[in-house]
Amino acid sequence: IHLKALVHKYTTDFMVGVVGLESAALPLEKDFIPKHNPKLMSEVWMSKNALQSETVLVLINGMSNSEAPAWNMKACIYHGLVAGGISTYVSQARERGWGIVVCNPNKNGVVCETDCSDSQTGPAPPEIIQAISEFGFGEIAAHRGCLASKTTNLERCGNWICGHHTESDIMKELTECETKLRVLPIPYNGDPVAHVQYVWDSILEPSRAKTIHFVPFSYGGFAMSKLVEARTEKLSERLGKIGMADSSHFIDNFGSELSAEAVEILNTKARNWIPSPEPLGTELGSERLHVRSISAGALEHGCVAGLCASAILDFLGTE
């Protein structure tokens, strides 16, 4: 078993068995599509008081090495669970009486064997193969990327391919059985943006929370910015603050026009802790897509969310 898988299992077991977070399946039963495939399910983790608390803390993971319920698997392995895990957020949120919701934005699809009635040559659909080829990788790499990331999301597939440069990983010919595999998207959760918006629509908005704080890490910040844009009116009524951890919310947003209301929310409600040699908490005098930057007091991307936990939570807790 890969070390990363062992760490993920440990952090999950710890958060559920020791800390007491509960797993909630998505999509909710009321949203099942006709002939719903029971394999096509994701999950989030919540504290027992999440739906009844007046204040709720929502954690949104990034991509690649970021797997809920931990911020960064690599950071957990090399720097420990405080640096790479979410335990500080969970323990301090509980001390404050806040409810907790841990999103799971990277579980977007399930690999299933099909009857191959389509025209595909493997798990990757033609549009992904074409897009991957523009980056200099072949059809087999596209198939391997879809299988490994369990999604047909171009960015997730591309991240996996770029992170596995050895030919044995990327160019291993598909077996006959693998050519029959397809990646089926999880309804309402087919990519990180869709997942976060579904968590808002199905869990957070119906809850009793009057104040909802968010901590998005890395690519989770992009999903957060899309939530702000898509649910501006409903979100603004109950939004507390957004404590970003080396957020990538500006990726894919350059050149696109955010509404004036969304810009106002990001400018006034959000701060972004980024890698910097400056002392923790130093205002860096710069912005990334309307969000002021603050020094994380650390240089490694994967450790920012964990090591800045107390500073971010203090920001969330201020009026």
Side-chain angles (χ1 to χ4, degrees), residues 55-60 71 89 98 196 200 204 211-232 235-249 258 261-274 288-294 308-309 311-319:
T55 303
V56 173
L57 174 65
V58 184
L59 308 182
I60 307 176
W71 290 123
Y89 289 90
W98 296 355
V196 171
W200 170 265
L204 298 172
T211 303
I212 303 176
H213 299 300
F214 292 85
V215 178
F217 168 60
S218 191
Y219 193 79
F222 177 72
M224 183 73 228
S225 71
K226 293 302 183 184
L227 177 66
V228 170
E229 180 69 6
R231 304 289 188 270
T232 305
L235 186 66
S236 62
E237 295 172 357
R238 301 159 75 186
L239 178 63
K241 292 187 178 179
I242 306 170
M244 295 176 163
D246 203 12
S247 168
S248 302
H249 63 282
L258 293 176
E261 293 81 5
V263 169
E264 177 70 10
I265 287 174
L266 291 175
N267 189 255
T268 60
K269 296 282 191 175
R271 297 291 182 272
N272 187 18
W273 278 255
I274 65 173
R288 292 181 177 180
L289 196 69
H290 315 296
V291 179
R292 284 158 53 186
S293 298
I294 299 175
C308 293
I312 291 176
L313 285 163
D314 285 345
F315 165 72
L316 300 182
T318 58
E319 292 297 329

Side-chain angles (χ1 to χ4, degrees), residues 57-68:
L57 174 65
V58 184
L59 308 182
I60 307 176
N61 277 66
M63 203 181 280
S64 190
N65 280 309
S66 186
E67 290 190 40

